[in-house]
Amino acid sequence: MFLRAVRTGLRARKGLSRGMLRSPRAAFSSALPQHRDTPDNNASTPFDWTPESKERIATVLAKFPSNYKNSGCLPLLWIAQEQNDNFLTLSAMNKVAEELDMPPIRVYETATFYTMYNRTKVGKYHIQLCGTTPCMLCGAEDIKKTIEEFANIKEGETSEDGLFTLSEVECLGACVNAPMIQVNNQKFYEFLTPANMTALMQKWKAGEEPKAFNQNHVQTCEGPLGKTSLTEEVDAFANFRDLGALAGEIAAEEAAKKDAAYSHSVLHLSDRAMVDQTLCWRDCCQSGGDVEHGCRHVPQRECKLAGVRVMWE
């Protein structure tokens, strides 16, 4: 009886995992780690940097020592993808390797690891729908259905007009504003409903750029009741230290320490004959004294060599 109950429980749990808790399909951008030549993505596909991209590359590489240029691999791959309409081709990766003096395989390894690089052609608006638990519980499946019906596609497909590609991804870190999507690895659209998701896609199709982030009245991460705490406006910078004043304080402290140390190194002389080679008579007189008269007519001179102040009495 006990074993039968265990088997029944396992079957029930297995059925639940197939239905509600299924794992999403592999990320669209890296479904195939291996490269597959296509007419628009092969070693002969033309790719070269635009002047704008060259400027951005120079800015990136200036952040790293010349012998560590390969540290710029990630940002250069991103620049190449943005230049090529959100599509990172094999020839673009080869160009990055050439720019950084890296073996191409090292660049391929990087591009296949991160899902933000699209090695398969995607639409103008690559919609990444979060399907993890909080979003799923808040209606991600309804949002997915809305996208599929509007663009006439399924997950992992691109619409015929080339505008939309749908991918289901893991948590994007906006759970409190679920359900949500990320578009082109850059902008978040949160608090989605089938109605405002449709409105977003209509604006994209019309060539407009809709407002990003929250798609309802909520300003940040408020709950359905609005703000229930921290209702007063607070100056976010009120308690910050004035760095300019701090630098002045530090400089004043250093000057005071220097003066204190300087005052302890004063040497009083009653006769110029006492100035020996240690004090370097010549250096003492460089600031206007007279070697012949031994600086006697000058109230005080600094001996640069010995690091002391000579006070004539």
Side-chain angles (χ1 to χ4, degrees), residues 156-200:
E157 297 178 350
T158 301
S159 59
E160 291 184 2
D161 56 11
L163 283 179
F164 303 108
T165 296
L166 173 62
S167 302
E168 186 175 340
V169 297
E170 295 299 329
C171 183
L172 291 170
C175 309
V176 70
N177 295 347
M180 58 82 62
I181 60 171
Q182 177 180 252
V183 176
N184 293 340
N185 291 308
Q186 292 180 317
K187 293 184 178 180
F188 277 16
Y189 298 85
E190 305 161 340
F191 284 116
L192 295 175
T193 64
N196 59 34
M197 185 69 238
T198 300
L200 286 173

Side-chain angles (χ1 to χ4, degrees), residues 9-162:
L10 288 175
R11 290 194 193 100
R13 188 173 180 180
K14 191 178 295 183
L16 180 63
S17 64
R18 287 174 185 159
M20 293 182 62
L21 302 179
R22 60 182 175 76
S23 299
R25 189 182 300 181
F28 187 82
S29 60
S30 57
L32 281 177
Q34 300 83 6
H35 173 74
R36 295 288 185 269
D37 273 353
T38 60
D40 59 355
N41 186 9
N42 55 71
S44 301
T45 305
F47 181 87
D48 202 358
W49 300 117
T50 63
E52 294 78 11
S53 293
K54 288 180 179 179
E55 289 183 10
R56 295 175 64 188
I57 290 170
T59 301
V60 169
L61 295 185
K63 301 176 182 178
F64 307 106
S66 58
N67 57 329
Y68 284 98
K69 289 199 302 183
N70 56 2
S71 298
C73 185
L74 289 174
L76 261 65
L77 285 171
W78 182 256
I79 292 171
Q81 178 170 283
E82 284 195 316
Q83 177 184 312
N84 203 40
D85 296 327
N86 212 21
F87 182 25
L88 186 63
T89 60
L90 179 64
S91 54
M93 289 188 279
N94 290 338
K95 198 68 178 179
V96 171
E98 177 186 329
E99 188 73 37
L100 300 177
D101 299 324
M102 291 175 62
I105 186 61
R106 296 282 303 279
V107 178
Y108 305 158
E109 290 169 348
T110 303
T112 55
F113 181 81
Y114 293 99
T115 59
M116 68 186 199
Y117 299 120
N118 301 318
R119 296 179 301 102
T120 305
K121 194 172 183 62
V122 297
K124 182 178 180 180
Y125 301 102
H126 183 197
I127 301 173
Q128 296 165 300
L129 171 68
C130 178
T132 317
T133 309
C135 282
M136 179 192 69
L137 295 175
C138 291
E141 288 298 320
D142 293 334
I143 304 303
K144 180 179 180 180
K145 184 178 179 181
T146 300
I147 297 169
E148 290 177 340
E149 290 179 352
F150 185 94
N152 194 27
I153 55 175
K154 294 294 184 182
E155 181 192 348
E157 297 178 350
T158 301
S159 59
E160 291 184 2
D161 56 11

Side-chain angles (χ1 to χ4, degrees), residues 258 261-267 278-280 283-284 301-310:
K258 185 176 180 181
Y262 207 41
S263 64
H264 286 87
S265 62
V266 172
L267 178 64
T278 305
L279 294 179
C280 185
D283 283 351
C284 283
R301 284 291 177 263
E302 179 181 357
C303 179
K304 299 178 182 178
L305 186 64
V308 300
R309 182 186 299 172
V310 180

Side-chain angles (χ1 to χ4, degrees), residues 242-254:
D242 185 337
L243 296 183
L246 177 61
E249 292 173 10
I250 294 174
E253 289 176 4
E254 292 296 327

Side-chain angles (χ1 to χ4, degrees), residues 187-232:
K187 293 184 178 180
F188 277 16
Y189 298 85
E190 305 161 340
F191 284 116
L192 295 175
T193 64
N196 59 34
M197 185 69 238
T198 300
L200 286 173
M201 299 188 73
Q202 287 173 338
K203 288 184 178 181
W204 284 322
K205 192 165 186 175
E208 302 175 19
E209 191 59 42
K211 177 181 76 76
F213 302 109
N214 296 349
Q215 299 302 305
N216 58 8
H217 66 283
V218 174
Q219 297 300 314
T220 52
C221 300
E222 302 168 8
L225 299 178
K227 276 192 175 183
T228 57
S229 62
L230 302 176
T231 55
E232 297 179 0

